[in-house]
Amino acid sequence: MLTDHQVEQLGIASSRRIGILSGSAGTGKTYCAAEFVRLFGEHAVQAVCPTGKAAQRLSESFRKNGLHVYATTIHTALKARKSGDNWHFMHSSSKPLDTKLVVVDEVSMVDTSLMASLLAAVGGGTRVLLLGDPGQLSPVGKGKPYHDMIESSCVPHGHLTEPHRFAGRIGRVCQQLRNGERWEPSPKLDLDAESPENFRHIECSSAYLQSSSLIDIVSRMTDRGYDPIEGQQVICAVNEKSPLSRKKLNQALQAWLNPDGQGVDGCDIRVGDKVICLKNGMRSNHWTSTRKPSVIAESYIANGEMGVASEVTAKFIAVKIGRVTVRFNRGEWKNINLGWAITAHKSQGSQWPVVISMIDDFNGANYVCSRAWHYTALSRAAEVCITIGMRSTLDRHCCNVDLEKRKTFLTERIQAACQYDEMMSL
């Protein structure tokens, strides 16, 4: 049941055809959206997300709330098609989406071009509810349309501020960090408390100690019942050139968690490894017979989706992702990588029971990390969050508010359009 605060803010967000419902981790954005969807009916709703992993999460959230609404990526909903070297969408202003309500989750990840395509495909009688967290990282692409819409004050904006008890210390720390306030970790893990003590910081003064502590914590979490593949995720700042880079951490975690996995020369991935897809695209479904089938089914695998390598040969890697197993042929191996450790940018839109975030004081990491970076990384945790490194480094990173560096003038254009509409209505 919605709280009075949630009812009030959802009412603001839904007061016009297009509205925004924002809030930090644990404030109940998707729960509110589920109640709003219930008013329209399951078959009258199109739920979309910028990534496949985020769509999977939103679908699961709806199912937990008794709704059978299957979320897809925005590209899938708009029916992306390739013509020569260019991509286009089948749904547009001339062929809008046939639905009464469009719910967009993790909208802070959507860049200007994709947002324009999505809103162009919304018909005149369709309503749009945008769900997101303004404190997260900017889109990888150009612009920051979600933030610009909020700043324009022309789009109804409901903002949830009450973290719920199930979020525990994670919810409180994330909200304090997002607001630039001082925060304190849990003195010890106590997941059974009424408001769970579920955010720990491990102080380490060197990369060597951090790596050693990481292995120890992953082992302890595994003993608590958190599977390293589905239940835990290590997040780091940079891909290479740091002792705590994604490459170095993946090597260490692979050696510890999957030392005997079968592999082949020239490939870092072994059978049993956790892997991540690095590029959107259709992938051939894996076949087990020695003869190639005449007709091969395909599955759309989004950038950021994760799975487990089930077969590794000199010609292909078979990866189980959700309910399907797909092939990455040798020429596509650059589009897949070890996923024991990933960057915060790749984690955006996803969530895991346990998140372990590595605080990196390397020069490249200091350039990348900001308040939004740490907030995004830490808010990926559903049950337990652990930071490893120097608290002073984390605090210094959080003084960097990089979102303000993006200037698009979209806010001014939205305000001008609203003023024009008001003038024409007189």
Side-chain angles (χ1 to χ4, degrees):
M1 185 175 179
L2 297 179
T3 65
D4 292 342
H5 171 68
Q6 289 173 328
V7 170
E8 177 189 27
Q9 298 306 309
L10 180 59
I12 294 172
S14 60
S15 59
R16 296 173 66 180
R17 275 191 57 224
I18 298 178
I20 295 169
L21 184 64
S22 68
S24 56
T27 54
K29 295 185 295 295
T30 54
Y31 180 71
C32 289
E35 294 303 305
F36 193 57
V37 165
R38 219 181 296 276
L39 297 175
F40 283 80
E42 298 174 355
H43 302 294
V45 176
Q46 177 79 60
V48 298
C49 299
T51 68
K53 191 68 176 180
Q56 183 183 13
R57 273 188 57 208
L58 184 59
S59 300
E60 292 171 354
S61 178
F62 282 149
R63 281 197 296 272
K64 288 179 181 178
N65 287 283
L67 297 172
H68 299 284
V69 176
Y70 178 70
T72 69
T73 63
I74 297 173
H75 287 78
T76 298
L78 299 183
K79 296 184 178 178
R81 297 290 185 269
K82 194 171 185 179
S83 178
D85 294 330
N86 299 315
W87 286 84
H88 69 279
F89 294 117
M90 298 294 290
H91 285 293
S92 62
S93 56
S94 59
K95 188 180 180 182
L97 294 165
D98 183 18
T99 185
K100 292 182 179 179
L101 172 66
V102 177
V103 176
V104 191
D105 196 14
E106 296 289 351
V107 72
S108 63
M109 299 174 64
V110 181
D111 63 27
T112 302
S113 176
L114 185 56
M115 180 69 80
S117 296
L118 175 61
L119 295 181
V122 174
T126 300
R127 304 188 70 166
V128 180
L129 180 63
L130 304 173
L131 308 174
D133 189 339
Q136 290 190 29
L137 286 165
S138 307
V140 174
K142 294 180 179 179
K144 50 182 180 70
Y146 179 55
H147 300 83
D148 290 337
M149 284 190 282
I150 292 175
E151 291 173 12
S152 73
S153 300
C154 295
V155 182
H157 175 209
H159 181 59
L160 301 174
T161 59
E162 297 176 351
H164 292 272
R165 287 184 300 176
F166 67 83
R169 179 79 67 163
I170 293 174
R172 297 197 300 277
V173 168
C174 285
Q175 190 170 61
Q176 290 168 330
L177 190 149
R178 179 180 178 274
N179 295 335
E181 300 169 356
R182 180 71 181 177
W183 55 270
E184 294 298 333
S186 300
K188 64 177 182 179
L189 285 181
D190 185 358
L191 306 184
D192 297 323
E194 183 178 5
S195 181
E197 290 293 349
N198 51 10
F199 188 105
R200 290 281 287 136
H201 172 72
I202 309 300
E203 186 73 13
C204 293
S205 58
S206 71
Y208 174 78
L209 291 175
Q210 286 176 266
S211 298
S212 300
S213 296
L214 172 62
I215 298 300
D216 179 61
I217 288 169
V218 169
S219 299
R220 288 171 180 266
M221 289 295 106
T222 302
D223 292 341
R224 281 176 171 257
Y226 293 105
D227 175 59
I229 293 178
E230 295 288 342
Q232 302 183 54
Q233 185 59 56
V234 178
I235 296 179
C236 59
V238 296
N239 288 304
E240 297 183 22
K241 298 182 180 179
S242 166
L244 298 174
S245 68
R246 177 186 57 79
K247 184 175 181 179
K248 292 286 188 182
L249 292 176
N250 271 317
Q251 290 172 346
L253 289 165
Q254 181 192 54
W256 179 258
L257 297 168
N258 189 31
D260 301 319
Q262 177 188 347
V264 296
D265 292 338
C267 180
D268 294 332
I269 296 171
R270 306 170 183 167
V271 173
D273 272 333
K274 184 178 185 176
V275 296
I276 182 170
C277 176
L278 304 178
K279 186 177 181 180
N280 296 328
M282 301 299 295
R283 307 289 174 194
S284 299
N285 287 10
H286 179 52
W287 64 90
T288 56
S289 61
T290 55
R291 179 177 296 180
K292 183 177 180 179
S294 56
V295 178
I296 302 173
E298 292 185 320
S299 298
Y300 180 82
I301 304 300
N303 180 3
E305 289 199 71
M306 304 184 76
V308 180
S310 58
E311 189 174 350
V312 178
T313 73
K315 294 183 177 181
F316 67 86
I317 300 173
V319 180
K320 188 176 188 303
I321 300 176
R323 296 182 179 180
V324 301
T325 300
V326 297
R327 284 193 177 202
F328 288 80
N329 294 324
R330 190 179 184 92
E332 300 176 304
W333 284 1
K334 64 181 181 295
N335 298 328
I336 189 173
N337 223 314
L338 289 170
W340 301 109
I342 62 175
T343 63
H345 284 84
K346 286 296 183 185
S347 76
Q348 201 167 3
S350 301
Q351 193 171 52
W352 296 270
V354 176
V355 164
I356 304 168
S357 182
M358 307 301 288
I359 304 170
D360 196 348
D361 200 21
F362 176 71
N363 286 340
N366 288 328
Y367 177 79
V368 169
C369 293
S370 63
R371 183 183 301 173
W373 189 96
H374 284 287
Y375 176 79
T376 300
L378 304 184
S379 60
R380 301 307 92 203
E383 298 177 26
V384 178
C385 185
I386 300 173
T387 54
I388 305 177
M390 292 190 293
R391 173 68 187 267
S392 59
T393 300
L394 194 159
D395 290 341
R396 173 163 45 82
H397 287 166
C398 290
C399 292
N400 179 19
V401 186
D402 55 359
L403 188 65
E404 297 174 354
K405 299 175 184 176
R406 290 198 180 197
K407 187 61 179 176
T408 66
F409 295 104
L410 180 59
T411 295
E412 291 81 359
R413 295 188 66 179
I414 294 172
Q415 291 170 338
C418 289
Q419 291 171 0
Y420 177 79
D421 288 344
E422 291 174 359
M423 182 180 68
M424 295 301 293
S425 66
L426 294 177

